[in-house]
Amino acid sequence: RSVTYDFTLRRSSYSGPFLLMSSFLFVGWLRGCIIHEHVGIVMEAHDLLAWPVCFFIVSNAFRDPEEGPLLFKIILLAMLPKCADGLWIWFFSSDPTKHWGVIQMWRDGYLVSISIIGSLLFIYYQGTELKKLKWTMLISFPIIVVILIISYRRTATLATIVSAFALFVALPKRYRKRHIAVVAGMLGLFILFAIVTNPIEFIARFSGVIAPQGEGSAAIRLMEWPNVIENILRHPIFGLPVGVPWITYYRIPLSSVY
């Protein structure tokens, strides 16, 4: 935009909801300042504000028709350096925490899911404009799946599987029979790499999906839910002020509140 000198802001149907979200964050911060009688900076601001701010930046930076493919490339190819990072950790790191997952941020899991579903969509892509990106993603597909498996990101894995099945509805009808083989192949790779890498850890982590009381982090979340729901019910509009601890209405073990 600095080259074209076009700094106009494009309107979007999402602008209203994101502005509403931003206003609630601001009100929560302001209420916290009033309660503490101190104006403080929220150290987690990068998480709280990332979505509204990034949305307006991206929607205005990539708004011309020819810029759409560039955004696809940035999002999908962002996974490749992360794959290299994960493989390096898996093969060369001596840190025992790598068995908890080679990439552990929610953002990483999101990028993995987007890359896998994007690769599945490229199977049906017949155009020429994104041909190089198509083959880059398809060749990288097994590596991306490996990273998903050894990251042990349950939400990302489940989201990927659900999204793959959702494509049965989203894709044109002529592709649905072919998509059966595609989904079966993806699930086969999931199972194969889970067996080859660390099947015991994989089963232990993902057992928390159907039996959360038997897996550490899932059990802690299960114990937190009654308090979370109670806090929401008692503060339905603005939530708890920023910087004010949420209230433990139901006692939980000290080990659950690190």
Side-chain angles (χ1 to χ4, degrees):
R1 297 302 158 197
S2 63
V3 174
T4 61
Y5 293 99
D6 180 8
F7 297 105
T8 56
L9 297 179
R10 185 180 65 172
R11 296 187 63 180
S12 167
S13 56
Y14 290 98
S15 298
F18 273 106
L19 284 173
L20 181 64
M21 182 192 303
S22 301
S23 66
F24 274 98
L25 294 174
F26 175 78
V27 170
W29 170 80
L30 184 62
R31 291 175 64 211
C33 292
I34 294 173
I35 291 173
H36 289 295
E37 298 182 353
H38 171 72
V39 177
I41 298 176
V42 182
M43 299 304 295
E44 296 83 1
H46 60 283
D47 291 324
L48 290 172
L49 303 178
W51 286 110
V53 172
C54 286
F55 168 76
F56 287 110
I57 292 175
V58 171
S59 64
N60 283 284
F62 300 90
R63 61 188 186 186
D64 296 333
E66 63 272 14
E67 293 170 340
L70 177 60
L71 181 59
F72 298 151
K73 294 175 183 178
I74 291 174
I75 294 175
L76 293 175
L77 295 177
M79 192 53 223
L80 299 184
K82 187 59 68 173
C83 285
D85 190 22
L87 290 175
W88 178 273
I89 293 171
W90 181 258
F91 285 109
F92 300 107
S93 174
S94 58
D95 191 333
T97 58
K98 74 177 184 181
H99 297 293
W100 191 250
V102 293
I103 53 175
Q104 299 184 354
M105 298 299 292
W106 295 334
R107 170 205 61 221
D108 300 334
Y110 178 79
L111 285 174
V112 176
S113 297
I114 288 292
S115 298
I116 291 176
I117 297 302
S119 300
L120 295 186
L121 286 172
F122 269 128
I123 293 175
Y124 310 102
Y125 177 73
Q126 302 298 326
T128 57
E129 186 177 3
L130 300 175
K131 189 175 181 179
K132 290 183 179 180
L133 179 61
K134 170 183 177 178
W135 287 109
T136 300
M137 297 309 300
L138 292 180
I139 292 172
S140 306
F141 184 75
I143 300 175
I144 300 174
V145 172
V146 168
I147 294 301
L148 175 63
I149 296 302
I150 60 178
S151 69
Y152 305 121
R153 297 292 86 197
R154 288 175 295 201
T155 302
T157 304
L158 291 174
T160 303
I161 294 173
V162 170
S163 298
F165 277 96
L167 289 179
F168 280 109
V169 179
L171 286 169
K173 291 183 179 180
R174 65 182 182 274
Y175 292 134
R176 290 180 181 173
K177 288 185 178 179
R178 185 179 177 184
H179 193 59
I180 295 175
V182 170
V183 173
M186 183 193 76
L187 295 177
L189 281 178
F190 281 13
I191 295 172
L192 173 64
F193 290 136
I195 294 173
V196 171
T197 53
N198 194 340
I200 303 300
E201 185 64 34
F202 184 85
I203 293 172
R205 286 283 290 158
F206 281 83
S207 65
V209 175
I210 56 176
Q213 67 276 9
E215 197 275 332
S217 60
I220 291 173
R221 291 185 177 95
L222 197 64
M223 288 186 286
E224 288 175 341
W225 264 112
N227 283 303
V228 171
I229 294 173
E230 189 66 26
N231 275 274
I232 293 172
L233 292 175
R234 292 177 183 245
H235 308 88
I237 304 300
F238 294 105
L240 290 172
V242 174
V244 177
W246 63 300
I247 301 172
T248 308
Y249 295 99
Y250 304 98
R251 293 182 62 185
I252 57 179
L254 186 61
S255 61
S256 300
V257 234
Y258 287 115

